[in-house]
Amino acid sequence: MKLNFLSLDFKVLMLLVGFLLIDFNCQSQAIVNTSKIRGNLKIDSTWNPIAYLSHIKSFNSMHTISNDMIITQTTIDSLGNFEFDTNFLSESDNLYRVHLSKKDNPPATLIIGGTEENHVFLIANNKSNIFITNSGENRLFNTDSIKGYKPNQYLYIIDEISNAIDSINFKSLKIKREFIKEGINENLRVIADTCTNSLVSLYALHKSQFFNNYSKNQTFYNNYLDKWKNEKSIYFQDFKNQLPAFKSNNYKFILIGIVCFILGFFINFFTKKKGISKKRMHSLSIQERKILRLMILGKSNKEISEECNIGVSTVKSHVSKIYSKLNIKSRKDVMKIDLELYNL
Amino acid sequence: MYKSTLTIICLIVFSSANLLFSQENDNILKHINISKQTKIEKVHVEVLEETIQFSFSISCNTRAGVIKVEIYNPKGEKVDEITVKNLVNKASLVENVNGQLNKKIKYPDKGIWVIKIIPNNSIASISISCNLKNESK
């Protein structure tokens, strides 16, 4: 009876473990299933009920539209719901753009600024769970449209800060205006320096007009690159390529390459002119070297045969061997050989 | 009698207020057709001391090739840009690619602003609409 009781307990325990495992499996499935870019948009009848997802490979391409940037599309249902599968996205954070187009416009349409702005940027990876929504009032997307993956909130804070430059009423002294602009850019650099998400950090730096600031603040950029030295993303590579220091380094490499090429050309030219390598010269026999010496001195085959006490045909045979060993074609080339250089 | 006097007073007040705080608008509209032979084109916009707002809208409809539109302030700094690429793929149907850049700048830098259109082997049409809101003295 006791044994039966124990075995019953064990069965219940096993069943519980089984349920837990199934539940855990379901939960992990649910986690996998929730990793999506989803949304609910209130759109009027002028918009096509299709949402497009584009991969933005560089911050400089944020204002670029092309058919090949669109990686996937999805239909927005009558209630405004839509979702993109994110399984095929990169494991690391990348920049994406969700856009809609008007009914009379082609799918690849980008409207920047104004009340009809048709897109929103977001940072995502293949595990991020993002929800896009809108208020349906004046604009298609609002500044707080993206919910779920935290780096996106910082992305919009950065946007709001940088857009302030164009919207602040600067009806004041020009110097004051420059001062405010510089203050905004300095704040963006502080965000870039303190942010833990590499892509958000780089975005802040991109918005801070680092081009104009690099020469004044090189230490900051060197320290920044040192901090993110393990970051191998396409965005960091692109950023490095834009920095004047890296550009000049590339320029230096090109210059060194050109100098080496010219040097190589001249070395090749002079060695050719001076003739033959010592290794080739050593491949000649004593008799061949003697005949070569006489050839250099301008002696004819007959004169060489008389001096060496050999027949003209033998001289001819030696000459052809010399030509082949030294890789030369005529007596003219022989005349160019320096006697002293080869101790002939 | 009283009613007509009040109307006249109101009219005088409103017209003088309008004269005092009126704003003048300058509009520039330009349409450019781009063919494969078209080279870089520049549109110059003069922003005056009294300009309180400079807004522009650039629409680009590209049938083939790449069109890049860059906007430079009088200091020569790039303020914004848009690139519209239509890299025609034989496998897909030829479809236009559209881009539109709208921007509003309050109290812009005084001087010549440049809208630079850089085509690359493209067939496109571009519409530029600029509005300068000037404060009348």
Side-chain angles (χ1 to χ4, degrees):
Chain A
M1 185 67 193
K2 202 179 179 183
L3 249 171
N4 279 344
F5 180 74
L6 271 174
S7 63
L8 192 74
D9 256 9
F10 182 72
K11 275 179 189 170
V12 170
L13 192 72
M14 285 306 288
L15 268 168
L16 274 171
V17 169
F19 276 128
L20 277 172
L21 279 171
I22 291 162
D23 188 44
F24 176 74
N25 200 25
C26 286
Q27 274 187 22
S28 57
Q29 280 284 328
I31 289 163
V32 170
N33 287 338
T34 52
S35 307
K36 275 184 178 159
I37 297 171
R38 289 179 291 180
N40 180 275
L41 292 174
K42 290 176 190 125
I43 52 169
D44 61 41
S45 57
T46 58
W47 295 98
N48 247 333
I50 300 170
Y52 301 92
L53 184 72
S54 301
H55 184 203
I56 313 296
K57 291 175 183 170
S58 156
F59 289 123
N60 290 327
S61 307
M62 288 176 82
H63 285 187
T64 300
I65 180 77
S66 162
N67 277 321
D68 63 348
M69 287 170 90
I70 299 170
I71 50 170
T72 187
Q73 64 180 65
T74 188
T75 311
I76 302 170
D77 69 19
S78 55
L79 297 170
N81 298 313
F82 70 95
E83 66 174 44
F84 293 109
D85 190 13
T86 53
N87 288 337
F88 68 97
L89 299 185
S90 168
E91 270 182 29
S92 57
D93 281 345
N94 269 258
L95 189 66
Y96 298 92
R97 180 175 60 208
V98 173
H99 85 265
L100 272 68
S101 63
K102 289 258 175 183
K103 275 183 177 160
D104 51 350
N105 283 335
T109 297
L110 182 68
I111 303 170
I112 303 160
T115 50
E116 296 204 322
E117 189 164 76
N118 68 338
H119 63 278
V120 69
F121 291 102
L122 51 98
I123 292 174
N125 58 51
N126 64 352
K127 287 184 186 72
S128 41
N129 181 24
I130 291 167
F131 194 79
I132 305 168
T133 185
N134 68 349
S135 62
E137 288 166 4
N138 295 328
R139 287 165 175 267
L140 185 61
F141 296 105
N142 316 96
T143 48
D144 58 346
S145 282
I146 311 282
K147 287 177 178 74
Y149 192 41
K150 211 157 189 181
N152 290 301
Q153 290 169 21
Y154 302 123
L155 205 70
Y156 288 94
I157 291 169
I158 291 163
D159 265 345
E160 281 188 352
I161 294 170
S162 64
N163 289 341
I165 293 174
D166 292 330
S167 56
I168 290 172
N169 283 326
F170 280 125
K171 198 184 178 184
S172 52
L173 285 171
K174 207 173 176 182
I175 193 152
K176 193 177 170 187
R177 180 196 297 189
E178 290 301 315
F179 186 73
I180 294 169
K181 272 188 187 179
E182 189 42 53
I184 289 172
N185 288 332
E186 188 54 45
N187 267 322
L188 289 169
R189 283 192 285 278
V190 170
I191 293 171
D193 196 29
T194 51
C195 190
T196 51
N197 181 288
S198 62
L199 208 55
V200 175
S201 163
L202 201 58
Y203 184 64
L205 212 54
H206 171 78
K207 285 280 181 180
S208 73
Q209 296 181 333
F210 66 88
F211 256 104
N212 304 331
N213 184 258
Y214 180 77
S215 55
K216 297 174 210 163
N217 209 350
Q218 277 191 37
T219 322
F220 170 82
Y221 293 95
N222 291 338
N223 291 340
Y224 182 81
L225 285 175
D226 196 47
K227 182 184 167 186
W228 296 106
K229 63 185 173 195
N230 296 325
E231 192 59 52
K232 303 280 181 231
S233 75
I234 44 171
Y235 304 94
F236 267 85
Q237 287 306 318
D238 188 51
F239 171 67
K240 280 179 192 173
N241 291 338
Q242 286 176 70
L243 287 179
F246 284 84
K247 269 192 178 172
S248 64
N249 271 354
N250 287 342
Y251 177 72
K252 271 180 199 166
F253 286 131
I254 293 165
L255 201 72
I256 290 165
I258 293 167
V259 168
C260 287
F261 177 78
I262 294 168
L263 210 68
F265 176 80
F266 278 106
I267 289 166
N268 192 27
F269 180 77
F270 283 115
T271 49
K272 257 195 174 174
K273 201 174 177 185
K274 294 219 166 144
I276 300 109
S277 68
K278 287 194 173 176
K279 201 179 169 186
R280 279 179 190 267
M281 200 56 84
H282 285 299
S283 67
L284 298 178
S285 67
I286 296 164
Q287 185 74 326
E288 283 165 351
R289 284 170 76 90
K290 192 181 173 184
I291 291 166
L292 178 67
R293 187 176 179 278
L294 294 168
M295 282 166 78
I296 294 166
L297 293 170
K299 305 268 180 185
S300 67
N301 284 355
K302 202 180 172 191
E303 286 170 323
I304 295 168
S305 74
E306 281 166 7
E307 203 155 313
C308 297
N309 299 315
I310 49 172
V312 178
S313 58
T314 317
V315 174
K316 279 181 184 170
S317 151
H318 280 302
V319 168
S320 71
K321 275 183 188 168
I322 292 165
Y323 280 6
S324 118
K325 282 183 181 176
L326 300 182
N327 195 25
I328 50 178
K329 285 169 187 168
S330 66
R331 251 188 158 84
K332 209 176 166 183
D333 291 337
V334 173
M335 304 291 274
K336 287 178 189 168
I337 298 170
D338 190 349
L339 274 173
E340 284 175 15
L341 188 71
Y342 300 104
N343 296 321
L344 291 168
Chain B
M1 181 67 191
Y2 174 74
K3 225 177 182 182
S4 59
T5 316
L6 193 74
T7 315
I8 291 163
I9 290 166
C10 279
L11 274 169
I12 291 166
V13 167
F14 279 119
S15 57
S16 58
N18 193 37
L19 279 171
L20 276 171
F21 305 109
S22 69
Q23 288 174 350
E24 289 168 0
N25 279 288
D26 273 347
N27 289 310
I28 299 160
L29 290 167
K30 211 169 164 71
H31 190 83
I32 302 163
N33 282 320
I34 306 280
S35 69
K36 292 204 174 184
Q37 288 77 37
T38 313
K39 288 176 184 168
I40 294 172
E41 291 224 16
K42 283 179 185 175
V43 175
H44 297 95
V45 181
E46 192 179 2
V47 169
L48 306 168
E49 186 78 63
E50 55 266 29
T51 304
I52 53 167
Q53 186 173 283
F54 173 36
S55 50
F56 56 83
S57 175
I58 301 160
S59 294
C60 182
N61 188 331
T62 311
R63 228 167 74 199
V66 182
I67 292 278
K68 192 173 191 179
V69 183
E70 297 175 333
I71 295 94
Y72 291 89
N73 67 13
K75 288 183 223 159
E77 295 165 350
K78 199 201 282 178
V79 174
D80 217 328
E81 66 176 333
I82 184 165
T83 308
V84 185
K85 288 183 188 176
N86 194 348
L87 307 166
V88 181
N89 184 354
K90 280 178 188 172
S92 66
L93 286 167
V94 179
E95 205 158 17
N96 286 6
V97 179
N98 283 2
Q100 195 184 93
L101 176 62
N102 307 301
K103 204 169 173 80
K104 210 178 265 183
I105 302 161
K106 285 184 177 171
Y107 296 96
D109 285 324
K110 178 198 152 193
I112 305 288
W113 286 64
V114 180
I115 299 168
K116 197 173 173 185
I117 300 150
I118 310 158
N120 186 359
N121 210 20
S122 51
I123 303 166
S125 64
I126 297 170
S127 298
I128 298 168
S129 161
C130 298
N131 177 269
L132 296 157
K133 208 177 265 180
N134 299 323
E135 212 173 30
S136 61
K137 287 173 182 173

